[in-house]
Amino acid sequence: MTSSSQAQPGQTPVPSAEAQALHRALFTLDSHIDIPWPDRGDAFEDTETRRVDLPKMQKGGMSAGCFVAYIAQAMVNAEGHAQAQAQCLAMLDVINTMQGTHNGVTARVCSTVAEITAAYEAGVLAVIPAVENGYAMGDNPAVLAQFRAKGARYVTLTHNGHNALADAAVHRPSLGDKPENHGGLSALGREAVREMNRLGLLIDVSHASKKTMLQAVAASAVPVVASHSCVRTLCDHPRNLDDEQLDALKESGGVIQITAMPAFLKPKDENGARSAGVSAFVDHIDYVVRRIGAEHVGISSDFDGGGALADWQNATQGVNLTAELLRRGYDKSEIAAFWGGNFMRLLAKAEGVAAEQTGTIG
C-alpha cells in the first residue's frame, strides 16, 4: 500500500507523501459533475451539501471539472422540448457565473484546450461547461450552436429514456418508450452528430444504448467519449460498455471515463447490499487498460449526480484515487493520462475537426 499510516476499521488510509505530491503536481480533470438546480449561488462556498464546489476542488488539488447542465428526460413533444431547451440554456448561464475570485478561490470558465491549459498554468481552476441529454436540443440541431456559444464542450446524446435523437440504454415505458424507438440513432440524431462535429462538441455516449453508441462511433468524424460509464464485464448494468463497445472505442480513438457510481462498479453482494471504493474503481481502469490500452480511459466522479465512493466522497479526496493508481504500479505519465490527458486529447481533436470544417472551433 502507498498509505503512510495504519487505518482503523472503517477509516480511509492516509495517502503517502509520494501520492500527495504527485496528485498536487498533476493536471486533474473530472469529466462529469452535476450542478444543483435551481441554482443556489454557492459555487464559491465550501458547502455541506455539494460534493463539488470550487473551494473543495482547490483543497483537493483538482485542476478542472466539466460541470453539466443535466436535463431529465420528459415527453418528446414541442412543449417538453421548449422547456428542456430553456432550462438547459439557463443552467449553462449559471455555469458561466462560476468564474472570478471569491473566498480565496479563482476560477475561469474555459471552452478551449488553450484556455484550460492557460488556467492550469496560472494556478486557476478551469470550469468547463457541458450538456447532459440531447433532449435539450429538442428537434432542432441549430440549438447546439447556442450550447457551444455558452462554452459547452460535449453533449450526452441521451439520459434515461429515449429522445428524438437516439435510443437510451435504459428505456422509460412511463414516457411511452418501447425497448427501441429508433434502432439506435435517428435521422435527426445523425444530423446532430454532424453538427456537433462542426461545432467542436464531443459526442458523449454515456446513457446511450449499445446500438446508439456503435452507430455514433461510426457516424462521428471525432472519437466519441463516454463521459461517465463503467465496464459491463465487471458489472452487468445496461449503462456500462461491453467488450465490443470498448473495442469500437479503441478503433476510433475514443475514451471511456470510469465513474464513481457504485451501481456501475460492483454487483450487489449475497445480502443484496452494494458498496464500492477506489479499489473497485481502479479495477475498471485496469480492465480497460488490459483490453484496449491506457490511452482510452479516464476519470469522472458523477458527483452531485449520484456518484460517491466510500473513500472518494467529494472533490477533496481525489488523492485517494491517485494513491490507488500508484499502488497498482501505474507510472506518472499513465496517471496523468487518466486524470485528464486522454480527455484533453479528444477535446483537441474536436477542435481540429471543427477548424477544418468551418475555420473556427465555435
Side-chain angles (χ1 to χ4, degrees):
M1 296 290 290
T2 59
S3 56
S4 58
S5 65
Q6 293 291 321
Q8 298 302 311
Q11 292 182 336
T12 300
V14 176
S16 68
E18 178 190 10
Q20 293 185 51
L22 174 59
H23 189 74
R24 289 286 173 179
L26 292 171
F27 170 77
T28 48
L29 182 152
D30 180 343
S31 68
H32 198 88
I33 305 162
D34 284 69
I35 64 167
W37 194 257
D39 178 53
R40 300 193 294 259
D42 58 0
F44 280 89
E45 298 175 17
D46 190 353
T47 67
E48 294 184 2
T49 54
R50 294 178 73 152
R51 295 187 186 275
V52 183
D53 50 45
L54 297 173
K56 288 186 181 70
M57 288 182 70
Q58 179 171 274
K59 182 179 179 182
M62 293 300 301
S63 308
C66 294
F67 288 83
V68 300
Y70 157 65
I71 304 299
Q73 186 62 43
M75 295 302 295
V76 179
N77 56 31
E79 180 182 4
H81 288 162
Q83 292 177 351
Q85 179 184 339
Q87 180 180 325
C88 185
L89 293 171
M91 294 178 84
L92 289 171
D93 284 341
V94 165
I95 294 167
N96 273 271
T97 69
M98 295 170 60
Q99 55 187 327
T101 301
H102 307 277
N103 297 332
V105 180
T106 302
R108 293 180 194 163
V109 174
C110 300
S111 64
T112 67
V113 168
E115 290 174 356
I116 298 166
T117 302
Y120 175 63
E121 291 175 349
V124 173
L125 298 177
V127 172
I128 305 161
V131 173
E132 184 174 18
N133 198 355
Y135 178 58
M137 186 203 86
D139 58 4
N140 183 7
V143 174
L144 294 168
Q146 296 182 56
F147 298 162
R148 184 68 189 96
K150 293 181 183 291
R153 288 313 314 265
Y154 68 73
V155 175
T156 315
L157 289 174
T158 71
H159 194 254
N160 296 330
H162 309 323
N163 59 32
L165 282 69
D167 291 333
V170 177
H171 72 292
R172 299 274 300 281
S174 62
L175 295 176
D177 288 353
K178 302 173 183 176
E180 290 186 348
N181 283 5
H182 308 289
L185 283 173
S186 68
L188 177 68
R190 293 178 183 277
E191 184 181 355
V193 166
R194 291 192 295 271
E195 181 66 359
M196 288 167 67
N197 287 167
R198 189 186 71 83
L199 292 167
L201 285 161
L202 287 175
I203 289 88
D204 176 18
V205 296
S206 288
H207 284 286
S209 73
K210 180 175 179 176
K211 286 183 180 178
T212 294
M213 181 271 177
L214 293 175
Q215 291 170 17
V217 168
S220 178
V222 178
V224 305
V225 66
S227 74
H228 58 305
S229 294
C230 296
V231 174
R232 191 152 190 177
T233 298
L234 299 183
C235 185
D236 188 12
H237 192 289
R239 275 276 283 105
N240 288 343
L241 304 191
D242 66 19
D243 286 351
E244 183 181 0
Q245 291 172 288
L246 293 177
D247 292 346
L249 272 186
K250 178 180 182 178
E251 184 69 21
S252 70
V255 176
I256 177 174
Q257 302 283 116
I258 303 302
T259 201
M261 185 73 75
F264 304 160
L265 290 169
K266 289 180 67 175
K268 292 181 179 178
D269 64 23
E270 61 274 12
N271 298 317
R274 190 194 326 263
S275 64
V278 295
S279 178
F281 188 103
V282 178
D283 286 345
H284 286 247
I285 290 179
D286 284 346
Y287 187 93
V288 177
V289 170
R290 289 193 301 267
R291 179 83 191 187
I292 62 175
E295 65 271 33
H296 299 291
V297 63
I299 292 167
S300 70
S301 67
D302 204 2
F303 282 151
D304 297 316
L309 303 178
D311 44 3
W312 191 24
Q313 286 283 313
N314 59 48
T316 69
Q317 295 183 316
V319 64
N320 293 333
L321 185 50
T322 299
E324 180 66 14
L325 290 165
L326 270 178
R327 191 187 71 80
R328 300 285 179 105
Y330 290 107
D331 63 29
K332 179 179 179 179
S333 65
E334 291 169 322
I335 297 172
F338 302 155
W339 260 125
N342 291 336
F343 184 80
M344 290 281 279
R345 183 184 71 248
L346 291 197
L347 290 181
K349 179 66 174 178
E351 292 176 14
V353 168
E356 291 172 3
Q357 294 187 5
T358 67
T360 178
I361 60 169

